[in-house]
Amino acid sequence: FVFDIDSDPKNLDPQYATTASSRTVLCNIFEGLMKLDETGSPAVAAATDYTVNESGTEYIFHLKQDAVWSNGDSVTAGDFRYAFLRLFTPGAVSPNAAGFSCIKNAGAILQGVLSPDALGVTAVDDYTLKIQLEYENPYFTELLCSPAALPCNQKFFESTKGTYGLSPSSLIYNGFFALSTWSDQQLTLVCNESYRSSSGGESGISKLTFHILAEGEDRISRFTSNQTDAALLDAAQVAMIKNKGYNVSGSSNTVWMLV
């Protein structure tokens, strides 16, 4: 399956990635506690189930116990806790950290009053993660679907000595795909043989190629000439091909402001 992206991701460190291209790749090579299903609703992924207290301020997630990283290490609650702590690294706070300010003590950590260790994320045991919030956030499960909430194996991260996420050799994976090659023209993903699906389903795709659009390359012509299998088009571009027999799925973003 071939899909075009606008730019080289450059950085595939989930906690610090900010571009649309990097996020698209990350969601295929990592698996978070939650994911967006076909309807756009949050569904369990690395977690098998979760509970929320009556006030909506405490979430307890139970993880798949057979999940492993591509290097053979188990995927544990500690990997998720470490990822959340990395968002608030002193002197190198992630650009995505503010989005998680609803987590208990996050505000005080951002202000330098508390250390990241005080963050309200606890590995109760290897396969149970507790997240406490300062206040109820009805969109918290959607927030957990974002790349910034993807897990990080601390031992492997520290072994990369500052190169984490910059090449295939400086990453390990817990998602359906693993990054095989990364060049100026494309990224090639292959099936991660270590992946354990909670649903048991198969995608039917053995290789996924992200083609990096070069300056002057036309997204529509690549799609209509079968050089790519799907294309992300704006409304004007969709109008150009809508009556040519292609399948079109639409979505829109609206910002509402109360004054």
Side-chain angles (χ1 to χ4, degrees):
F1 189 90
V2 181
F3 185 76
D4 293 345
I5 55 178
D6 289 321
S7 61
D8 185 343
K10 298 190 182 302
N11 175 12
L12 291 177
D13 179 338
Q15 278 66 60
Y16 288 85
T18 57
T19 68
S21 294
S22 59
R23 288 170 175 160
T24 299
V25 177
L26 285 167
C27 287
N28 283 279
I29 59 178
F30 284 89
E31 181 176 75
L33 295 167
M34 307 288 291
K35 65 180 179 181
L36 294 178
D37 64 17
E38 293 84 352
T39 68
S41 302
V44 291
T48 57
D49 60 80
Y50 67 95
T51 58
V52 189
N53 67 358
E54 289 186 4
S55 62
T57 57
E58 182 176 283
Y59 289 72
I60 295 179
F61 294 89
H62 300 101
L63 308 186
K64 292 187 290 190
Q65 297 193 18
D66 60 348
V68 294
W69 291 96
S70 52
N71 69 346
D73 289 354
S74 294
V75 179
T76 68
D79 296 327
F80 285 95
R81 180 176 188 273
Y82 183 64
F84 284 111
L85 295 184
R86 287 191 64 230
L87 291 171
F88 300 93
T89 302
V93 172
S94 165
N96 302 306
F100 293 85
S101 58
C102 59
I103 298 178
K104 184 178 179 180
N105 293 333
I109 294 168
L110 287 172
Q111 293 169 16
V113 177
L114 295 175
S115 72
D117 281 340
L119 191 68
V121 180
T122 306
V124 178
D125 56 42
D126 282 349
Y127 302 106
T128 308
L129 184 75
K130 179 168 70 174
I131 303 179
Q132 297 169 287
L133 306 186
E134 290 279 6
Y135 50 86
E136 182 179 14
N137 182 343
Y139 303 106
F140 186 62
T141 53
E142 292 182 32
L143 190 62
L144 293 178
C145 298
S146 67
L150 294 170
C152 182
N153 180 300
Q154 182 175 1
K155 182 176 70 174
F156 180 83
F157 170 79
E158 292 174 348
S159 76
T160 64
K161 302 184 185 301
T163 65
Y164 186 68
L166 300 181
S167 69
S169 63
S170 65
L171 283 167
I172 53 174
Y173 317 95
N174 77 316
F176 190 89
F177 291 102
L179 182 59
S180 174
T181 62
W182 184 357
S183 70
D184 294 336
Q185 291 79 41
Q186 66 182 36
L187 296 90
T188 304
L189 279 59
V190 296
C191 287
N192 176 9
E193 299 298 331
S194 301
Y195 179 71
R196 301 291 182 269
S197 171
S198 56
S199 64
E202 299 294 337
S203 76
I205 299 173
S206 59
K207 184 170 76 171
L208 175 59
T209 300
F210 288 107
H211 173 78
I212 301 168
L213 287 170
E215 186 175 353
E217 273 193 300
D218 181 63
R219 193 186 294 267
I220 289 183
S221 64
R222 278 184 51 80
F223 176 64
T224 55
S225 62
N226 296 321
Q227 292 177 280
T228 187
D229 294 301
L232 183 63
L233 307 178
D234 61 29
Q237 291 171 320
V238 168
M240 294 173 63
I241 69 163
K242 198 164 188 177
N243 297 320
K244 295 184 179 181
Y246 294 105
N247 293 320
V248 178
S249 297
S251 63
S252 61
N253 292 328
T254 304
V255 177
W256 291 86
M257 186 179 300
L258 182 65
V259 180

